Amino acid sequence: MRGRDLNKERLVRDTAIQMLVEQGLQGFSMNKLAGACNISVATLYIYYKDKDDLIRKLGADIGGRHMDALLSGFSPEMRFREGIRKQWENRSQFYLKYPLEAMCAEIIRHSPYGECMDKKKLRTFKDAMSAFVQNAIDRGELKPMPVEAFWSIVYGPLYTLLRFHSEGSSLARRKFVFTKELMLQTLEIVLDGLSPSTGKK
Amino acid sequence: MYSDDSKILVFKTNIKTFRSKSRVQQLLEGRDDVLAFNVDQQDADCVLRVVAATITAKEVIALVRDAGFQCAELD
């Protein structure tokens, strides 16, 4: 008979995140995780029913914290430039502070476990972002466009910079460190490109 | 969540097939001394996990073995 140990639970959680990021979902198993944590498989089953349960709980936990972080200090009423800047700040802060969690959330979100995300939080998040974009379009601050085009243009450049940072190098192995200055410089270019006043020449 | 009195018992088994899982479900379902259980058939050890109210590991092993399966407590 076994009880819960919060330190061990934390170790299991952190190691699982690291393994998922390094090895992906395919290579992940309860046995490997137990080995990596230096605990028995039986102990692992105290915290989680099975592998699916573990991944779903991790996804819900990380996803929830991620969405909370993204909405911090953000309001759908913000002007477009101000709101996107807040998003870039929130997203970069979360990524830099919790790089493994951010990458793990990404892996889980794009997997069959993607539906494990906290539905209420997801709804709040989606509603806030949709209202923000709609407000920007209504105010003439943003050109209407398909959501995929919007997301890839608005956030693609940020995540590319963050990926360069986590790899420590950019193109042709040039040493790279993410800075706020570079982030803001890139953001300006993105915002100018999205502005309806930037017409075709 | 379960009360603090509940205990989690974990066993290595050979409950590999859907049919054998159904058989074990019949054994453990509806018992007052078992709060919940599941078999992780994705795991090599086909781990049987029992959230016990009052049932003991020995009693689970006896039940499962009587049904013709291997069952040993995982340490």
Side-chain angles (χ1 to χ4, degrees):
Chain A
M1 296 199 198
R2 300 147 194 285
R4 295 177 86 98
D5 174 336
L6 288 178
N7 288 333
K8 223 173 246 182
E9 212 166 339
R10 182 88 208 168
L11 169 75
V12 166
R13 182 188 174 280
D14 292 348
T15 311
I17 290 169
Q18 194 173 349
M19 280 181 71
L20 282 168
V21 170
E22 287 171 2
Q23 300 171 26
L25 281 162
Q26 292 294 335
F28 186 82
S29 78
M30 295 291 263
N31 272 299
K32 276 191 196 170
L33 176 59
C37 294
N38 211 12
I39 60 171
S40 72
V41 181
T43 304
L44 203 48
Y45 278 92
I46 293 172
Y47 308 121
Y48 303 101
K49 275 168 68 179
D50 50 29
K51 173 179 153 178
D52 289 351
D53 181 46
L54 184 151
I55 296 172
R56 285 202 184 94
K57 281 183 179 154
L58 265 187
D61 174 44
I62 303 170
R65 291 200 303 124
H66 188 221
M67 284 183 279
D68 287 345
L70 298 198
L71 290 181
S72 167
F74 174 83
S75 151
E77 308 307 322
M78 282 174 150
R79 306 295 295 188
F80 185 66
R81 294 183 85 92
E82 186 195 1
I84 293 297
R85 178 176 170 149
K86 190 74 204 158
Q87 279 300 308
W88 275 47
E89 285 169 354
N90 287 351
R91 285 166 194 259
S92 59
Q93 275 166 20
F94 188 88
Y95 194 99
L96 295 172
K97 201 168 175 188
Y98 309 106
L100 287 175
E101 275 92 337
M103 284 185 254
C104 188
E106 202 70 5
I107 290 169
I108 295 176
R109 196 163 31 239
H110 298 293
S111 78
Y113 298 97
E115 289 176 10
C116 65
M117 297 291 173
D118 183 326
K119 295 207 168 37
K120 203 174 151 200
K121 279 195 175 171
L122 195 58
R123 176 49 49 206
T124 307
F125 179 73
K126 281 185 175 170
D127 286 350
M129 296 313 294
S130 302
F132 171 70
V133 170
Q134 193 55 52
N135 287 340
I137 293 171
D138 293 347
R139 283 196 293 248
E141 296 172 319
L142 175 68
K143 303 170 192 172
M145 66 184 79
V147 65
E148 294 83 4
F150 173 81
W151 200 96
S152 55
I153 295 166
V154 171
Y155 299 119
L158 173 67
Y159 286 111
T160 303
L161 293 178
L162 290 168
R163 209 156 291 143
F164 285 157
H165 176 83
S166 70
E167 286 163 10
S169 61
S170 63
L171 308 174
R173 300 195 174 190
R174 251 164 64 106
K175 200 163 177 262
F176 183 82
V177 177
F178 184 89
T179 63
K180 189 164 183 184
E181 288 69 33
L182 182 65
M183 180 187 89
L184 294 177
Q185 193 184 344
T186 311
L187 176 62
E188 280 306 307
I189 300 166
V190 169
L191 289 172
D192 287 349
L194 284 164
S195 167
S197 59
T198 317
K200 282 182 188 167
K201 303 233 166 108
Chain B
M1 289 316 280
Y2 305 108
S3 75
D4 288 344
D5 294 337
S6 64
K7 296 282 187 288
I8 292 164
L9 308 172
V10 185
F11 307 90
K12 175 181 177 170
T13 76
N14 62 344
I15 306 167
K16 283 184 185 157
T17 64
F18 180 77
R19 206 173 154 187
S20 51
K21 191 173 169 179
S22 302
R23 177 80 189 97
V24 173
Q25 271 169 343
Q26 285 173 0
L27 289 173
L28 296 175
E29 243 161 26
R31 291 182 63 109
D32 291 340
D33 53 1
V34 173
L35 295 173
F37 66 92
N38 70 288
V39 183
D40 186 359
Q41 291 186 311
Q42 285 186 56
D43 189 87
D45 287 338
C46 299
V47 172
L48 167 65
R49 179 184 189 270
V50 177
V51 183
T54 53
I55 198 167
T56 64
K58 275 185 183 169
E59 287 167 336
V60 174
I61 290 169
L63 268 173
V64 176
R65 283 187 181 166
D66 279 353
F69 301 108
Q70 293 167 15
C71 184
E73 197 171 11
L74 269 178
D75 293 321

